[in-house]
Amino acid sequence: MPLGSVRPAGWLRRQLEIQASGLSGHLDETWADVGPNSGWLGGTGESWERGPYFLDGLLPLAYLLDDARLKAKAQKYIDWILTHQATDGMIGPASNDDWWPRIVALKALTQYQEFTADQRVIPLIDRYFRYQLAELPKRPLRDWGKFRWQDEALSVIWLYNRTGSAYLLDLARILHQQGYDWMAQFANFQFKQKITADYIKLNEGGGLKDLALSTHGVNNGQAIKTGAIWSLVSGSDTDRKATAHMIAELDRYHGLPNGMFSCDEHLSGRDPSQGSELCTVVEYMFSLERALAATGDPLLGDRLERLAFNALPGTLTDDMWAHQYNQEPNQVECSLHHKPWVSDGPESNLFGLEPNFGCCTANFHQGWPKFAASLFLLSGDPNSDQHDGLVAAAYAPCEVRANIRGTSVHIAEETAYPFRGAIKLTVNPSAPLAFPMHLRIPAWASGAAITINGKPEPQPQPGTFARVERTWKPGDRVEINFPMQPRASRWFNNSVAIERGPLVFSYGIGESWVKLRDRGMTADWQVFPTTAWNYAIKLDPQNPSADIKVTESEIGETPFARKTAPVRLDVKARKLPKWRAEDGAADAPPQSLVASEAPEEEITLIPYASAKLRITAFPQLKT
Ligand SMILES: [Zn+2]
């Protein structure tokens, strides 16, 4: 659907407002790299990826909130780009000719065109693509651009869908041909272990080698969309299925309970004390949003929610003024202590302005707004322009304004999901209209129920889209109820994580926040534990939810704040004295099952994102 069709409501709108009041709404005032001297505003400052990264998130944030102050900030960049195209068609600062930052700028320009219909955008992109098609044989993709070509393919297809110019398919093919072959990497996946600095020859000089770039976390996060996007050009079913296969391989060798694969900043195995970079979280989300739209695979929606409701808020402070470079599922300290990273520096899991490196500072802004914009999709036959219905791809409170075969349809989605399992959609077509609505039923949701105006629909299958087809009339009510019994999942060394709906739960370790230094309008923080964390939990293996007490409370003004965590789970546990930390990182959880003589206690788990110091993957007690 064109951007602007889905608007956040309820807690999701508050989350975006928090973002706008935090660093996203002020970054240009406090961080020179995207400030008035940015090369993307005609200055002599940073002229590479940071300006476009910031714009790519600021722009949808501004338009989804209809925030005039933020729109004006975004417009400065947009206007500079639109009024400074070179006569040959090149865009962006003249001080570099790297294709990569322009790939990001195109992501922002295409969004801007959808929000505003500004008539300058399509001719500018068209001239740029014609220039690039002529230029690429002489000056091919290299390093980052070579490994991230699929993100440009998205913009090429976007323009093709609007102009139908045949040369755009030639451009897509040359990007594919010069770009890294991600499908081959995952067809025969070789990177099954923690990647070491020696393995990728990180210290030999001469920049990052292909081996380093192909095991790089952000590159892999962006690559996840490759098969799905390329299948739109190739028509190949193997390509279409490649996205799910890539995710399965990354999970198998590098998967973590927060939904991420480890990447600190190269693939680093399944130990829950390894980190994942924030850029990878938001790029993985964007890949899932686009791959889901291209393939209709409902499981991509499950993963998108897992990242959006856990990994994304879990690595930002509640006020969104500070973030980490790396987050860990088992994160017992955020300090300058040495950490088990493959290549990142000692500040990587501090909360701050630009811990370790400033890419995430510029890039994290796209996470929440693009998620909000992707909650609903249009359905239809991929071989025709006719859209036949609507798809609820991911769930959160929102409002939808769509046009189906000339009739406008408004939908209000009211829900406290992911904290509750009840979702209410009120459908208001401007006149009665027959169309299908496809409702995603997550794979974990066995026993889900759907009613229309109070009448039950057939029991939907988990891991599918339930198709509800009828003549919709103003005021029709769809009610979806997802089962919210806690579940257990298995991780490294047979450790166990507790989940409920799309939320992952963690033991919230006591936190002492110590300011390391002021950073303009924000600050850098270390976080030290004030309580023990080395618990093994007791679960009935036949029925894990039997041993877990669930307490629900209202969603607070800050949805994921620890103080007002909307769901708490009480579980039985014992301390496990042999499980320790070294240099601020928890040892891998000992192989479960484990025995402990310590007294039994009741501990409280809260949503992963509410606990900035946390244990998520627990050893399990022998019973
Ligand atoms: Zn980053």
Short mmCIF file of all heavy atoms in Angstrom, two decimals, residues 34-65:
data_model
loop_
_atom_site.label_atom_id
_atom_site.label_comp_id
_atom_site.label_asym_id
_atom_site.label_seq_id
_atom_site.Cartn_x
_atom_site.Cartn_y
_atom_site.Cartn_z
N VAL A 34 25.17 14.45 10.93
CA VAL A 34 23.94 14.67 10.17
C VAL A 34 23.46 16.12 10.35
O VAL A 34 22.30 16.44 10.06
CB VAL A 34 22.81 13.67 10.55
CG1 VAL A 34 23.25 12.24 10.27
CG2 VAL A 34 22.39 13.83 12.01
N GLY A 35 24.34 16.97 10.85
CA GLY A 35 24.00 18.36 11.12
C GLY A 35 24.11 19.24 9.88
O GLY A 35 24.23 18.74 8.76
N PRO A 36 24.08 20.55 10.09
CA PRO A 36 24.02 21.49 8.96
C PRO A 36 25.20 21.39 7.99
O PRO A 36 25.08 21.78 6.84
CB PRO A 36 24.01 22.88 9.63
CG PRO A 36 23.82 22.64 11.09
CD PRO A 36 24.03 21.20 11.39
N ASN A 37 26.32 20.81 8.44
CA ASN A 37 27.47 20.70 7.54
C ASN A 37 27.54 19.35 6.83
O ASN A 37 28.54 19.03 6.18
CB ASN A 37 28.77 20.96 8.33
CG ASN A 37 29.92 21.30 7.42
OD1 ASN A 37 29.74 21.92 6.36
ND2 ASN A 37 31.12 20.87 7.78
N SER A 38 26.47 18.56 6.93
CA SER A 38 26.42 17.28 6.21
C SER A 38 26.64 17.50 4.71
O SER A 38 26.11 18.45 4.13
CB SER A 38 25.06 16.62 6.43
OG SER A 38 24.82 15.63 5.44
N GLY A 39 27.38 16.59 4.09
CA GLY A 39 27.55 16.65 2.64
C GLY A 39 26.22 16.53 1.91
O GLY A 39 26.09 17.00 0.77
N TRP A 40 25.24 15.90 2.54
CA TRP A 40 23.92 15.72 1.92
C TRP A 40 23.05 16.97 2.09
O TRP A 40 21.88 16.97 1.71
CB TRP A 40 23.24 14.48 2.49
CG TRP A 40 23.91 13.24 2.00
CD1 TRP A 40 24.99 12.61 2.57
CD2 TRP A 40 23.61 12.50 0.81
NE1 TRP A 40 25.36 11.52 1.82
CE2 TRP A 40 24.52 11.42 0.74
CE3 TRP A 40 22.64 12.62 -0.20
CZ2 TRP A 40 24.51 10.48 -0.31
CZ3 TRP A 40 22.62 11.69 -1.23
CH2 TRP A 40 23.55 10.63 -1.28
N LEU A 41 23.66 18.03 2.70
CA LEU A 41 23.01 19.35 2.72
C LEU A 41 23.91 20.36 2.03
O LEU A 41 23.74 21.57 2.20
CB LEU A 41 22.74 19.77 4.17
CG LEU A 41 21.72 18.94 4.95
CD1 LEU A 41 21.71 19.34 6.42
CD2 LEU A 41 20.32 19.08 4.35
N GLY A 42 24.93 19.86 1.32
CA GLY A 42 25.83 20.75 0.60
C GLY A 42 27.04 21.19 1.39
O GLY A 42 27.86 21.97 0.91
N GLY A 43 27.20 20.66 2.62
CA GLY A 43 28.34 21.04 3.46
C GLY A 43 29.57 20.20 3.16
O GLY A 43 29.58 19.37 2.24
N THR A 44 30.58 20.40 3.99
CA THR A 44 31.85 19.69 3.79
C THR A 44 32.01 18.57 4.81
O THR A 44 33.07 17.95 4.89
CB THR A 44 33.03 20.66 3.93
OG1 THR A 44 32.92 21.31 5.22
CG2 THR A 44 33.02 21.71 2.83
N GLY A 45 31.00 18.31 5.61
CA GLY A 45 31.09 17.27 6.65
C GLY A 45 30.83 15.88 6.07
O GLY A 45 31.01 15.65 4.86
N GLU A 46 30.40 14.97 6.93
CA GLU A 46 30.17 13.58 6.55
C GLU A 46 29.32 13.53 5.28
O GLU A 46 28.25 14.14 5.21
CB GLU A 46 29.45 12.85 7.70
CG GLU A 46 29.76 11.37 7.78
CD GLU A 46 28.89 10.46 6.91
OE1 GLU A 46 27.87 10.93 6.34
OE2 GLU A 46 29.23 9.28 6.78
N SER A 47 29.81 12.82 4.28
CA SER A 47 29.15 12.86 2.96
C SER A 47 28.84 11.47 2.44
O SER A 47 28.53 11.30 1.27
CB SER A 47 30.06 13.57 1.95
OG SER A 47 30.32 14.89 2.39
N TRP A 48 28.94 10.47 3.34
CA TRP A 48 28.77 9.08 2.91
C TRP A 48 27.39 8.59 3.32
O TRP A 48 26.39 9.14 2.87
CB TRP A 48 29.94 8.25 3.47
CG TRP A 48 30.10 6.89 2.88
CD1 TRP A 48 30.14 6.56 1.55
CD2 TRP A 48 30.23 5.67 3.61
NE1 TRP A 48 30.30 5.20 1.41
CE2 TRP A 48 30.36 4.62 2.65
CE3 TRP A 48 30.27 5.33 4.97
CZ2 TRP A 48 30.51 3.28 3.02
CZ3 TRP A 48 30.43 4.00 5.33
CH2 TRP A 48 30.55 2.98 4.36
N GLU A 49 27.29 7.59 4.22
CA GLU A 49 26.00 6.93 4.45
C GLU A 49 25.16 7.58 5.54
O GLU A 49 23.97 7.30 5.65
CB GLU A 49 26.23 5.46 4.81
CG GLU A 49 26.92 5.28 6.16
CD GLU A 49 27.26 3.82 6.51
OE1 GLU A 49 27.16 2.93 5.64
OE2 GLU A 49 27.64 3.59 7.67
N ARG A 50 25.74 8.44 6.38
CA ARG A 50 25.01 8.83 7.60
C ARG A 50 23.83 9.75 7.33
O ARG A 50 22.77 9.58 7.95
CB ARG A 50 25.99 9.41 8.63
CG ARG A 50 26.92 8.32 9.12
CD ARG A 50 27.83 8.69 10.24
NE ARG A 50 28.63 7.52 10.59
CZ ARG A 50 29.56 7.48 11.52
NH1 ARG A 50 29.85 8.60 12.22
NH2 ARG A 50 30.22 6.37 11.78
N GLY A 51 24.00 10.71 6.42
CA GLY A 51 22.87 11.57 6.07
C GLY A 51 21.69 10.77 5.53
O GLY A 51 20.57 10.86 6.04
N PRO A 52 21.92 9.92 4.49
CA PRO A 52 20.82 9.12 3.96
C PRO A 52 20.23 8.15 4.99
O PRO A 52 19.01 7.95 5.02
CB PRO A 52 21.46 8.36 2.79
CG PRO A 52 22.62 9.19 2.38
CD PRO A 52 23.12 9.87 3.62
N TYR A 53 21.08 7.55 5.81
CA TYR A 53 20.56 6.66 6.87
C TYR A 53 19.55 7.41 7.75
O TYR A 53 18.45 6.93 8.02
CB TYR A 53 21.71 6.20 7.77
CG TYR A 53 22.34 4.86 7.47
CD1 TYR A 53 23.61 4.56 7.98
CD2 TYR A 53 21.68 3.87 6.74
CE1 TYR A 53 24.21 3.33 7.76
CE2 TYR A 53 22.29 2.63 6.52
CZ TYR A 53 23.55 2.36 7.04
OH TYR A 53 24.14 1.14 6.83
N PHE A 54 19.94 8.57 8.20
CA PHE A 54 19.08 9.36 9.09
C PHE A 54 17.77 9.71 8.39
O PHE A 54 16.67 9.52 8.93
CB PHE A 54 19.85 10.61 9.54
CG PHE A 54 19.07 11.52 10.46
CD1 PHE A 54 18.36 11.03 11.54
CD2 PHE A 54 19.07 12.90 10.25
CE1 PHE A 54 17.66 11.87 12.39
CE2 PHE A 54 18.37 13.76 11.09
CZ PHE A 54 17.66 13.24 12.16
N LEU A 55 17.89 10.15 7.16
CA LEU A 55 16.71 10.55 6.39
C LEU A 55 15.75 9.37 6.19
O LEU A 55 14.53 9.53 6.25
CB LEU A 55 17.17 11.10 5.03
CG LEU A 55 16.08 11.62 4.10
CD1 LEU A 55 15.33 12.78 4.73
CD2 LEU A 55 16.70 12.03 2.75
N ASP A 56 16.30 8.19 5.98
CA ASP A 56 15.51 6.98 5.70
C ASP A 56 14.58 6.63 6.87
O ASP A 56 13.53 6.01 6.67
CB ASP A 56 16.49 5.82 5.43
CG ASP A 56 15.80 4.55 4.96
OD1 ASP A 56 14.81 4.64 4.24
OD2 ASP A 56 16.29 3.46 5.34
N GLY A 57 14.93 7.03 8.09
CA GLY A 57 14.06 6.79 9.25
C GLY A 57 13.30 8.02 9.68
O GLY A 57 12.14 7.95 10.09
N LEU A 58 13.96 9.19 9.59
CA LEU A 58 13.32 10.45 9.98
C LEU A 58 12.07 10.71 9.13
O LEU A 58 11.04 11.17 9.63
CB LEU A 58 14.33 11.60 9.82
CG LEU A 58 13.80 13.01 10.06
CD1 LEU A 58 13.40 13.19 11.52
CD2 LEU A 58 14.86 14.06 9.67
N LEU A 59 12.20 10.41 7.85
CA LEU A 59 11.11 10.73 6.92
C LEU A 59 9.80 9.99 7.25
O LEU A 59 8.77 10.63 7.45
CB LEU A 59 11.59 10.41 5.49
CG LEU A 59 10.69 10.98 4.45
CD1 LEU A 59 11.27 12.27 3.90
CD2 LEU A 59 10.47 10.01 3.34
N PRO A 60 9.82 8.65 7.38
CA PRO A 60 8.55 7.98 7.74
C PRO A 60 8.09 8.34 9.16
O PRO A 60 6.88 8.40 9.41
CB PRO A 60 8.87 6.49 7.60
CG PRO A 60 10.35 6.38 7.69
CD PRO A 60 10.89 7.66 7.11
N LEU A 61 9.02 8.60 10.06
CA LEU A 61 8.62 9.01 11.41
C LEU A 61 7.84 10.32 11.33
O LEU A 61 6.76 10.47 11.92
CB LEU A 61 9.87 9.17 12.29
CG LEU A 61 9.63 9.60 13.73
CD1 LEU A 61 8.89 8.51 14.51
CD2 LEU A 61 10.96 9.94 14.43
N ALA A 62 8.38 11.28 10.57
CA ALA A 62 7.75 12.59 10.44
C ALA A 62 6.35 12.48 9.82
O ALA A 62 5.39 13.08 10.29
CB ALA A 62 8.63 13.50 9.58
N TYR A 63 6.25 11.68 8.75
CA TYR A 63 4.97 11.61 8.03
C TYR A 63 3.94 10.76 8.77
O TYR A 63 2.74 11.08 8.75
CB TYR A 63 5.18 11.14 6.58
CG TYR A 63 5.62 12.30 5.73
CD1 TYR A 63 6.96 12.66 5.60
CD2 TYR A 63 4.67 13.12 5.10
CE1 TYR A 63 7.36 13.76 4.86
CE2 TYR A 63 5.05 14.22 4.36
CZ TYR A 63 6.39 14.54 4.23
OH TYR A 63 6.77 15.64 3.51
N LEU A 64 4.38 9.69 9.44
CA LEU A 64 3.40 8.87 10.17
C LEU A 64 2.83 9.63 11.36
O LEU A 64 1.69 9.43 11.75
CB LEU A 64 4.02 7.55 10.64
CG LEU A 64 4.33 6.56 9.53
CD1 LEU A 64 4.93 5.28 10.10
CD2 LEU A 64 3.09 6.22 8.72
N LEU A 65 3.63 10.53 11.95
CA LEU A 65 3.14 11.33 13.07
C LEU A 65 2.55 12.65 12.58
O LEU A 65 2.02 13.41 13.39
CB LEU A 65 4.27 11.61 14.06
CG LEU A 65 4.79 10.41 14.86
CD1 LEU A 65 5.97 10.82 15.73
CD2 LEU A 65 3.68 9.81 15.73
#
